[in-house]
């Protein structure tokens, strides 16, 4: 598990928490089509990677009902 958390050598990893439900809802409106986690356009991911974070925590990735 420890190796999964370490993307680059650092003593104090930086985590970026992303509320996936609201992010995908905004992207759906922006692109005029339903955007799911597996088809998020690369240009939406690159700014997150550019922050230099070590790990992205995907908050809200679960089913809310039947």
């Amino acid at each position: 598990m420890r190796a999964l958390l370490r993307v680059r050598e650092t003593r104090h990893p930086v985590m970026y928490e992303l509320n996936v439900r609201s992010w995908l809802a905004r992207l759906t409106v922006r692109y005029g089509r339903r955007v799911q986690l597996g088809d998020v356009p690369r240009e939406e991911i690159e700014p997150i990677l550019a922050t230099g974070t070590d790990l992205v925590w995907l908050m809200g990735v679960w089913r809310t009902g039947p």
Side-chain angles (χ1 to χ4, degrees), residues 11-25:
R11 292 184 56 132
H12 304 286
V14 175
M15 180 173 66
Y16 184 100
E17 184 175 10
L18 182 62
N19 184 318
V20 174
R21 281 196 194 115
S22 63
W23 184 52
L24 292 179

Side-chain angles (χ1 to χ4, degrees), residues 49-65:
L49 299 176
T51 65
T53 59
D54 299 297
L55 151 72
V56 178
W57 178 270
L58 301 177
M59 181 179 76
V61 183
W62 59 83
R63 179 179 265 186
T64 58

